[in-house]
Amino acid sequence: MIAPPARVLVTGVVVGAVVWAGLALLALPSPSLFGGLAAGAVLAFGSPRAPQLPRWSVVLAQAFVGVTIGETVTLSALRQIAADWPSVLIVTVVTLLLSLLAGVILARLHPISLATGLFSMAAGGASGITSIADELGADARVVSILQYLRVLLVLVTLPLVVGLVFHPQTGQGGDAAAGGAGGGWVASAAFVAVSVGVGLGLARLVPVSTFTLIGPLAVAGGLTLWGGLGGAQTPGLLVSLAMLAIGLQVGVKFTRDSVRAIGRLLPAGLVLIAALLVLCGVLGWVLSQVTGVDPLTTYLATTPGGLFAVLATATDSGAEPTYVFAVQLARLLAILALAPLLARWLRTRQGAWTRRG
């Protein structure tokens, strides 16, 4: 019997906190995020079906991360994004083409439809693509596992790559021991309450899953640019718990049965996803050389998916979250807009082949 969502959440937080403490001693970036991922995987492998987290915990986690990003918004970062938009557009297009090429290769290597291969490898929008996989004419089970496998690899490699390659000063954002002192606890509480409350209210009006992050981010960014609350910030412990919940959300997708169901696809899927990660890292380096933005920020901006995790890591590691968010969001919107058009083209082509046969 699957544990009720509340029990899953409590167990995940306890296990995740233990892993979090261990990783914090090793000074790895985003230890609470990785702790949640490990805890979710442990719970999933002990259950025949994916354990369910309470919906409110996922929504609040995304909202708090959105507020944390919003409080870092600066006019200089917005100007930098506006100046670099041609480079960002090119990187977005190249990333999409690389992920689609990986999908074609996967479909050639295994007896799956081209639609299944393409949408399994699409770099970004894991929850959105998975939720409409059947409508797109793809095998939802394969798409779901490979999409979340990519997110899993992003989460696993983020602390290692960021820590070993970029050597950031961690704890500058989400995993700080304490936050919000700059403007006082009253101002910080008001900042968080208004940003989350109004932001989630806006999210209810927009039927897009990622708006649970975008709404609070937009409100927090507006308050930050206004400056009326002084240096108010989200308490670091609160955001660390939110990052832990996001890690749990990904980890619980990987049950034994779901992974076993596509076992023959896993070797090729892992190799293609790893190649995509490396190539996107190269794109990040190129973007840094062209725009002058620091390499850590461009690496996180071009990481193929894991939006919430990447933004949380950017906040914690001292990168520019506003820039990372803009590039990641551009690719996410492009994928979600392209998916129905690509599915329609695939159906048309399949219909033409059927008539010829």
Side-chain angles (χ1 to χ4, degrees):
M1 180 177 179
I2 300 176
R7 190 184 306 167
V8 172
L9 178 63
V10 172
T11 306
V13 169
V14 172
V15 176
V18 173
V19 180
W20 170 9
L23 294 177
L25 292 176
L26 299 175
L28 291 176
S30 305
S32 62
L33 179 71
F34 199 75
L37 174 65
V42 169
L43 291 174
F45 267 77
S47 173
R49 295 174 55 194
Q52 298 296 314
L53 293 169
R55 174 62 183 162
W56 61 264
S57 68
V58 176
V59 170
L60 283 181
Q62 295 173 356
F64 287 134
V65 171
V67 174
T68 305
I69 299 162
E71 71 191 25
T72 66
V73 171
T74 62
L75 288 176
S76 61
L78 295 176
R79 293 191 189 100
Q80 178 76 51
I81 295 165
D84 294 343
W85 74 264
S87 300
V88 171
L89 177 61
I90 292 172
V91 166
T92 299
V93 171
V94 173
T95 303
L96 289 175
L97 291 176
L98 287 173
S99 66
L100 293 178
L101 176 61
V104 172
I105 294 173
L106 184 65
R108 291 291 182 89
L109 293 175
H110 291 279
I112 60 174
S113 68
L114 182 57
T116 299
L118 292 175
F119 296 124
S120 294
M121 291 289 115
S127 59
I129 291 294
T130 298
S131 66
I132 60 174
D134 286 329
E135 300 172 26
L136 297 173
D139 186 328
R141 183 177 58 179
V142 174
V143 171
S144 175
I145 292 300
L146 290 179
Q147 279 286 334
Y148 281 104
L149 179 62
R150 175 176 47 78
V151 176
L152 175 67
L153 290 183
V154 168
L155 264 67
V156 168
T157 57
L158 270 180
L160 299 176
V161 175
V162 171
L164 296 176
V165 177
F166 299 102
H167 308 291
Q169 294 181 352
T170 59
Q172 298 183 45
D175 281 320
W185 279 101
V186 174
S188 295
F191 173 75
V192 174
V194 172
S195 298
V196 171
V198 176
L200 290 182
L202 293 174
R204 292 178 64 88
L205 303 177
V206 182
V208 178
S209 60
T210 51
F211 226 81
T212 53
L213 179 141
I214 297 173
L217 186 158
V219 176
L223 291 174
T224 300
L225 293 175
W226 170 53
L229 294 177
Q233 296 177 332
T234 311
L237 178 60
L238 188 63
V239 180
S240 292
L241 291 173
M243 291 161 68
L244 190 152
I246 289 172
L248 274 173
Q249 181 185 0
V250 175
V252 295
K253 301 293 183 181
F254 293 90
T255 64
R256 289 170 296 175
D257 287 350
S258 63
V259 173
R260 190 184 303 121
I262 61 164
R264 288 187 297 177
L265 284 171
L266 284 180
L270 282 169
V271 170
L272 289 170
I273 291 170
L276 190 59
L277 287 174
V278 172
L279 291 173
C280 286
V282 173
L283 285 177
W285 178 81
V286 172
L287 183 62
S288 175
Q289 298 300 305
V290 172
T291 63
V293 177
D294 70 278
L296 174 58
T297 294
T298 56
Y299 170 76
L300 294 173
T302 54
T303 297
L307 176 66
F308 302 117
V310 171
L311 292 176
T313 301
T315 303
D316 180 58
S317 60
E320 178 52 71
T322 307
Y323 196 95
V324 174
F325 173 72
V327 179
Q328 289 277 347
L329 181 63
R331 189 179 67 247
L332 172 64
L333 294 178
I335 287 174
L336 294 179
L338 178 64
L341 299 177
L342 184 58
R344 186 180 305 167
W345 176 77
L346 289 171
R347 291 193 192 101
T348 301
R349 195 177 75 158
Q350 184 177 9
W353 283 355
T354 302
R355 286 192 296 273
R356 286 182 196 143

